[in-house]
């Protein structure tokens, strides 16, 4: 994700815009609360190999249709839903693996906050054998110095609003804008998002 990319390559961009994705350290802190754990149950279901893929296949696109027809303020048109379902029919492993990498502790920025026992349990379930070795010359900066703007939906059912603000010590130059939107801030407030990004 963009947070990780900028922590590894801090000079890659002159500024960064984030739409409804918490900084990994903040998200790991959020997972210590029962409220966020309940909202994020699906991330834990995705950790077991093949379970999520089999579930998506058995539901034959119905879960994708339900999410995108009920979560955004304006349900997606049928033709848009058909495109998402068709894209998912080729396999959901790519998207699911993004969550698996996080659960296995492979999002380096979340390592200080995630309990080691939880990471070890997930790594064992996934067959991950320890953390990748890094030399001191390849260790990235923990600090993202460029200006960062976070656009966040106040009515996100998956991520609590308290996750919007990244840790000041990791992202010292950040502005957070809370919009009247769900998790799909770019669909719910397309004009406002465009204006902020310009």
């Amino acid at each position: 994700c963009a947070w990780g990319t900028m922590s590894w390559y801090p000079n890659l961009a002159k500024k960064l815009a984030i739409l409804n994705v918490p900084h990994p350290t903040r998200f790991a802190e959020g997972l210590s609360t029962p409220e966020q754990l309940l909202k994020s149950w699906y991330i834990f279901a995705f950790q077991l190999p093949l379970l999520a893929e089999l579930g998506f296949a058995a539901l034959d696109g119905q879960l994708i249709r339900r999410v995108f027809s009920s979560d955004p303020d304006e349900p997606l048109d049928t033709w848009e839903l058909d495109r998402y379902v068709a894209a998912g029919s080729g396999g959901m492993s790519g998207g699911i693996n993004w969550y698996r990498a996080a659960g296995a502790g492979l999002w380096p920025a979340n390592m200080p906050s995630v309990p080691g026992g939880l990471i070890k349990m997930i790594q064992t379930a996934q067959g991950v054998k320890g953390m990748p070795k890094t030399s001191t010359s390849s260790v990235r900066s923990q600090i993202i110095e460029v200006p960062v703007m976070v656009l966040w939906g106040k009515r996100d059912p998956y991520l609590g609003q308290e996750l919007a603000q990244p840790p000041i010590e990791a992202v010292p130059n950040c502005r957070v804008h809370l919009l009247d939107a769900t998790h799909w801030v770019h669909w719910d407030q397309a004009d406002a998002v465009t204006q902020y990004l310009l």
Side-chain angles (χ1 to χ4, degrees):
C1 88
W3 289 118
T5 301
M6 287 303 291
S7 70
W8 278 103
Y9 305 101
N11 298 318
L12 187 65
K14 293 182 181 177
K15 50 185 156 178
L16 176 64
I18 299 287
L19 278 63
N20 246 94
V21 178
H23 185 278
T25 300
R26 183 67 74 220
F27 187 57
E29 292 168 3
L31 288 177
S32 68
T33 68
E35 296 83 12
Q36 189 58 52
L37 276 173
L38 187 59
K39 290 178 180 184
S40 299
W41 68 269
Y42 60 95
I43 295 173
F44 298 99
F46 288 175
Q47 300 306 311
L48 299 174
L50 294 179
L51 180 66
E53 288 89 345
L54 292 171
F56 276 106
L59 292 171
D60 194 30
Q62 291 309 305
L63 182 60
I64 294 170
R65 287 185 188 283
R66 194 185 110 239
V67 166
F68 289 120
S69 63
S70 64
D71 280 2
D73 285 342
E74 297 280 326
L76 297 187
D77 291 329
T78 301
W79 68 268
E80 288 177 294
L81 286 169
D82 291 344
R83 288 179 62 195
Y84 279 102
V85 169
S89 68
M92 297 294 292
S93 292
I96 293 166
N97 284 339
W98 186 80
Y99 291 101
R100 287 184 177 143
L106 299 177
W107 283 357
N110 73 5
M111 292 308 294
S113 303
V114 176
L118 177 61
I119 290 175
K120 183 83 172 141
M121 181 180 74
I122 291 170
Q123 287 176 338
T124 301
Q126 293 180 12
V128 174
K129 304 218 183 325
M131 291 305 298
K133 304 284 187 238
T134 58
S135 70
T136 54
S137 62
S138 67
V139 175
R140 79 206 180 295
S141 168
Q142 291 278 340
I143 301 171
I144 298 173
E145 300 279 357
V146 300
V148 175
M149 176 177 57
V150 175
L151 303 178
W152 197 273
K154 291 192 251 184
R155 296 180 285 111
D156 186 330
Y158 306 108
L159 298 167
Q161 194 171 313
E162 69 281 359
L163 302 179
Q165 181 69 51
I168 189 108
E169 62 276 4
V171 189
N173 189 4
C174 182
R175 292 176 296 134
V176 175
H177 300 282
L178 301 174
L179 304 177
D180 184 25
T182 65
H183 184 71
W184 314 104
V185 66
H186 57 293
W187 282 327
D188 295 342
Q189 293 289 333
D191 291 341
V193 167
T194 300
Q195 288 305 308
Y196 278 115
L197 294 177
L198 295 176

